[in-house]
Amino acid sequence: MATTTGSDADSRTENEAQPVESDPDQPAANVGWRYTVSQVRRDPTALAGLGIIGIATLVAVIAFLDQSVLPLFGIEQYAIAQAVWMSPNAEVAPQLLPPAWTTNVFGEGTWAHPLGTDDRGRDILSRVFYGTRIAISVGVIATTIALVVGMLVGSVAGYYGGRIDDVLMRAAETLYAIPFLVLVIVFMVAFGRNLTFAMIGVGIANIPTFARLIRSRVLSVREEDYIEAARAAGVRDRNIIFRHVIPNSFAPVLVQATLQIGVAILIVAGLSFLGFGAQPPTPSWGQMLSQSRDYMLPDPWFSIWPGLAILITVVGFNLLGDGLRDALDPRINN
């Protein structure tokens, strides 16, 4: 029988004690939120979108504090606007003045109102500034409603399948078959023509989009080995859905949510244009476009500024959505 010498045993022990080095040619796994953030930071498109959204969000927060929070403490509404510039509802100048560097049939522009005035002599710059609050809050809240409800419906339908899937998805498809604006307008006529019901209506109309998207992901995720292991271990279905199914199906939903915020902003601007949404004198971009309809030829600037605000904000969310899609797409990362 062969014997093992002391030197052979020592060398074998040293080899076993040495750590196993990974192959440098083997690519690292591209997963995790840190990797996603690093990918977004390297994407100039996503950074441009983040910059636009960051500025718009900051403006919206300031406007929200000035318009809704400070009056709760006994401070006059639009106190910040009056301290820095002027209230968006104050009629302080001649009507329909052009921007400071131009003239029109109504007069010559002045730097006291850099973007001109509207049909009531109110400063357009301050109204565009404070209209950001409506756009951002409506887009985020309406999309959040659609995201949360749509994820629950799609996850349950995809996970259980069978009759539950049929009932939930047929209901979602029935909702999806109704024209978007018609559904929102009918909802607002039934419950109230104000901003709150506009957000709820837009959120409800977008539920099928998220439900169908996450259901398609859940159908594949539920067949994974770790889901089968969780079932075999006796984990409740509710815990499996919230701890495993939804987190592992959330990437495409996040991208869709970012894009959907821009769509919600457009929809609510269209509703305000039609008279459904923020009511006067609350400044909103869609309402400003509606008021400018009769003055587009003599004073096109009145409609250009709120239109540009809508365009830039929606483009910002779309750019961020494109960046997130590239960062979360494993086919691109690998």
Side-chain angles (χ1 to χ4, degrees):
M1 182 176 64
T3 59
T4 303
T5 63
S7 60
D8 292 338
D10 293 340
S11 62
R12 185 176 61 184
T13 303
E14 292 177 357
N15 292 333
E16 291 176 353
Q18 292 178 354
V20 178
E21 296 182 359
S22 60
D23 187 358
D25 296 330
Q26 184 70 22
N30 298 333
V31 295
W33 66 269
R34 292 184 179 179
Y35 177 80
T36 301
V37 172
S38 67
Q39 288 296 102
V40 171
R41 291 176 61 183
R42 296 175 184 176
D43 190 339
T45 300
L47 290 178
L50 277 174
I52 295 172
I53 295 171
I55 294 173
T57 303
L58 177 62
V59 171
V61 170
I62 294 173
F64 174 73
L65 293 174
D66 197 19
Q67 185 174 357
S68 302
V69 176
L70 293 184
L72 298 178
F73 298 93
I75 302 175
E76 183 182 0
Q77 191 178 40
Y78 299 119
I80 296 177
Q82 294 174 1
V84 177
W85 187 250
M86 61 187 62
S87 171
N89 293 333
E91 302 175 6
V92 295
Q95 300 175 1
L96 297 172
L97 285 180
W101 57 89
T102 61
T103 60
N104 64 6
V105 296
F106 300 102
E108 183 176 355
T110 172
W111 285 107
H113 308 285
L115 301 185
T117 60
D118 65 5
D119 58 332
R120 295 186 178 181
R122 298 173 294 192
D123 183 72
I124 291 180
L125 176 60
S126 62
R127 290 186 66 78
V128 170
F129 186 98
Y130 280 82
T132 309
R133 179 188 72 91
I134 301 295
I136 297 298
S137 61
V138 164
V140 172
I141 294 175
T143 303
T144 301
I145 294 172
L147 174 66
V148 172
V149 179
M151 278 202 311
L152 292 176
V153 172
S155 299
V156 172
Y159 182 79
Y160 288 105
R163 293 184 178 179
I164 295 178
D165 184 18
D166 290 338
V167 171
L168 292 178
M169 296 315 297
R170 296 300 83 76
E173 290 172 0
T174 301
L175 194 64
Y176 198 75
I178 303 174
F180 194 96
L181 276 177
V182 172
L183 177 62
V184 178
I185 290 175
V186 169
F187 180 85
M188 295 182 66
V189 169
F191 294 98
R193 298 173 55 173
N194 57 47
L195 194 60
T196 300
F197 291 111
M199 292 186 290
I200 297 174
V202 173
I204 292 174
N206 280 323
I207 288 174
T209 300
F210 290 98
R212 296 172 67 182
L213 178 61
I214 196 168
R215 174 185 175 272
S216 65
R217 290 287 301 166
V218 171
L219 288 175
S220 61
V221 170
R222 72 177 183 179
E223 304 299 332
E224 297 291 340
D225 293 339
Y226 59 87
I227 299 296
E228 294 295 333
R231 290 172 178 164
V235 180
R236 295 181 179 180
D237 289 343
R238 179 184 61 187
N239 294 334
I240 294 176
I241 291 174
F242 284 102
R243 294 182 181 180
H244 301 290
V245 173
I246 290 180
N248 288 282
S249 307
F250 189 67
V253 178
L254 177 61
V255 175
Q256 181 63 35
T258 308
L259 300 173
Q260 202 66 36
I261 292 176
V263 175
I265 291 174
L266 284 174
I267 294 298
V268 175
L271 291 172
S272 297
F273 184 87
L274 297 175
F276 297 88
Q279 300 299 315
T282 302
S284 69
W285 295 340
Q287 183 191 114
M288 294 176 68
L289 286 173
S290 178
Q291 294 170 347
S292 67
R293 286 178 297 179
D294 298 331
Y295 308 100
M296 287 186 176
L297 290 180
D299 187 22
W301 296 105
F302 187 7
S303 58
I304 287 176
W305 299 123
L308 277 177
I310 295 172
L311 174 64
I312 293 172
T313 305
V314 172
V315 167
F317 282 102
N318 288 343
L319 291 177
L320 178 60
D322 289 340
L324 285 175
R325 181 193 59 194
D326 296 341
L328 296 171
D329 192 340
R331 295 172 298 180
I332 297 176
N333 294 338
N334 295 327

